[in-house]
Amino acid sequence: MKRLFMFIFSLFVAGTVYAGESVTYKSEGKEYEGYYAPASKSAPLVFIVHDWNGLDEYEMQRAAMLNKLGYSAFAVDMFGKGVRPEAIEDKKRLTGELYADRAKMRRLLNAGYEAAKAKGADVGNAVIIGYCFGGTVALEYARTGIPLKSFISFHGGLDTPPDQNWTTAKGEVVIFHGTADTAVSMDSFAELAKALEKAGIKHEMHTYSGAPHAFTVFGAPSYRKDADEKSWKRFTEYLKEIFGR
């Protein structure tokens, strides 16, 4: 699996200076396999959380894109080493288990955080981004109060669990959302905006016309080039602002 993992990655980053590596770590005795792509020892860090496909070449490609901009990247594994679901039923089961157990979701995020720290990544100067399921996870991490600079969701779930709130969040929040998303409504988008404003959380929220759920996923039927490129442009501008470089 690891050999295939690295071969796929090499196809995407041929010609770049930095190469990534798989990182095995544990949470509650179970092995997980993250992915670390450092730009330099002092580079700001971007944590990446995968969608319901599991950590695959998509996150590696985004990591390579970040490397080219001078940022290190660490992709967190939320499913387990070697667990890369293909059937819709398996994807629903794996994500559903974590939606139902937010404490476990947080433990897995912390395990990834510690693994990145152990590799020498600058976790004190970091943001986290997530795609679809990963966007939901990134926002969950914000509500733990961990002092990352920002929590950024691309077409992620936006509802706040009824037993949670934003009072302990410390970083900023950025949302990229498609107005044609039938999985995550504009009502949820508006409710999140009101919750963040009430809690005094600095935020910015962007919507893109005609963009459905998963509009950034290369090669997928849901992919929308215009929305993907515009959201990535604003995202990279924002990274310069938040990291001051």
Side-chain angles (χ1 to χ4, degrees):
M1 181 66 187
K2 181 177 177 182
R3 186 175 300 172
L4 175 61
F5 199 76
M6 298 307 296
F7 171 73
I8 293 172
F9 173 72
S10 69
L11 297 179
F12 281 102
V13 297
T16 61
V17 176
Y18 305 105
E21 61 176 311
S22 60
V23 179
T24 298
Y25 56 95
K26 290 186 177 182
S27 178
E28 298 183 294
K30 180 178 177 180
E31 286 193 333
Y32 292 81
E33 187 174 32
Y35 179 79
Y36 181 45
S40 69
K41 290 183 178 180
S42 60
L45 177 66
V46 179
F47 284 101
I48 303 173
V49 188
H50 57 77
D51 61 15
W52 71 351
N53 293 324
L55 202 171
D56 61 16
E57 65 270 16
Y58 180 80
E59 289 74 36
M60 298 179 205
Q61 184 174 8
R62 292 295 184 183
M65 293 166 69
L66 287 164
N67 281 173
K68 289 181 179 179
L69 297 173
Y71 304 108
S72 294
F74 188 95
V76 179
D77 177 12
M78 300 297 292
F79 291 165
K81 186 173 183 178
V83 180
R84 304 294 181 262
E86 296 184 5
I88 295 295
E89 293 77 10
D90 291 331
K91 296 175 182 181
K92 288 182 177 180
R93 175 181 55 80
L94 288 165
T95 55
E97 288 173 356
L98 290 173
Y99 286 139
D101 190 348
R102 297 296 179 120
K104 181 178 181 180
M105 185 185 287
R106 294 179 177 203
R107 289 194 297 272
L108 293 176
L109 286 163
N110 287 333
Y113 178 96
E114 292 299 329
K117 184 177 180 180
K119 294 298 294 185
D122 189 358
V123 297
N125 192 29
V127 302
I128 187 169
I129 68 174
Y131 295 89
C132 296
F133 160 73
T136 306
V137 174
L139 297 183
E140 180 72 26
Y141 213 23
R143 294 188 294 270
T144 69
I146 191 164
L148 300 184
K149 290 182 177 293
S150 189
F151 303 82
I152 302 159
S153 169
F154 288 86
H155 43 78
L158 304 179
D159 292 337
T160 303
D163 60 340
Q164 293 187 29
N165 58 57
W166 288 89
T167 58
T168 59
K170 292 183 171 63
E172 298 182 6
V173 171
V174 179
I175 305 297
F176 297 103
H177 183 68
T179 53
D181 191 333
T182 58
V184 182
S185 72
M186 287 302 297
D187 288 340
S188 293
F189 181 90
E191 287 301 316
L192 176 60
K194 289 187 285 187
L196 294 173
E197 191 65 28
K198 182 179 180 180
I201 304 299
K202 186 175 180 181
H203 62 281
E204 59 179 71
M205 303 175 68
H206 305 268
T207 61
Y208 300 94
S209 61
H213 195 62
F215 64 82
T216 70
V217 181
F218 306 122
S222 60
Y223 182 72
R224 296 295 184 271
K225 185 174 186 291
D226 181 63
D228 173 46
E229 292 181 350
K230 285 180 178 177
S231 61
W232 186 259
K233 181 176 184 292
R234 176 57 198 142
F235 168 61
T236 56
E237 291 171 347
Y238 177 76
L239 288 183
K240 291 180 181 179
E241 295 166 11
I242 200 75
F243 288 128
R245 51 179 286 158

